[in-house]
Amino acid sequence: IALAINSRAGTFGYSLAASIAYDLYIFTRKKLNPQNEDHRLIVQKHIQVLQVILGNQMQGDAGEAGEQIADELKSLVNKYSGSRPSTR
């Protein structure tokens, strides 16, 4: 999903969001240990940064491209939230 966000964001000129999404993709493919709380925090912070950046960039003129990217971001949030073990 992060790679899809990278692709769509880059295509529509959201270069900072594309870069952050790609960094997230690389981290999850090469370093992520889901049992490590710090790693889960890194993923969560990347998602939050993407939400802020894309929210600011797409305000008002998002159109279909913005909807596609927003849908991918929601999928990423749902996937991350669903796979997170309970800390209670």
Side-chain angles (χ1 to χ4, degrees), residues 23-73:
D23 290 344
L24 178 59
Y25 167 75
I26 294 297
F27 177 76
T28 58
R29 297 302 279 175
K30 296 187 178 193
K31 305 278 184 186
L32 181 64
N33 174 2
Q35 303 306 317
N36 185 327
E37 183 68 30
D38 292 335
H39 286 200
R40 291 194 309 263
L41 182 62
I42 289 169
V43 172
Q44 181 183 28
K45 294 303 176 185
H46 271 77
I47 292 169
Q48 289 172 348
V49 167
L50 284 170
Q51 288 173 319
V52 169
I53 290 171
L54 291 170
N56 288 339
Q57 288 183 331
M58 294 186 307
Q59 217 167 11
D61 63 346
E64 186 177 329
E67 290 176 20
Q68 291 174 356
I69 295 170
D71 288 344
E72 292 294 340
L73 187 54

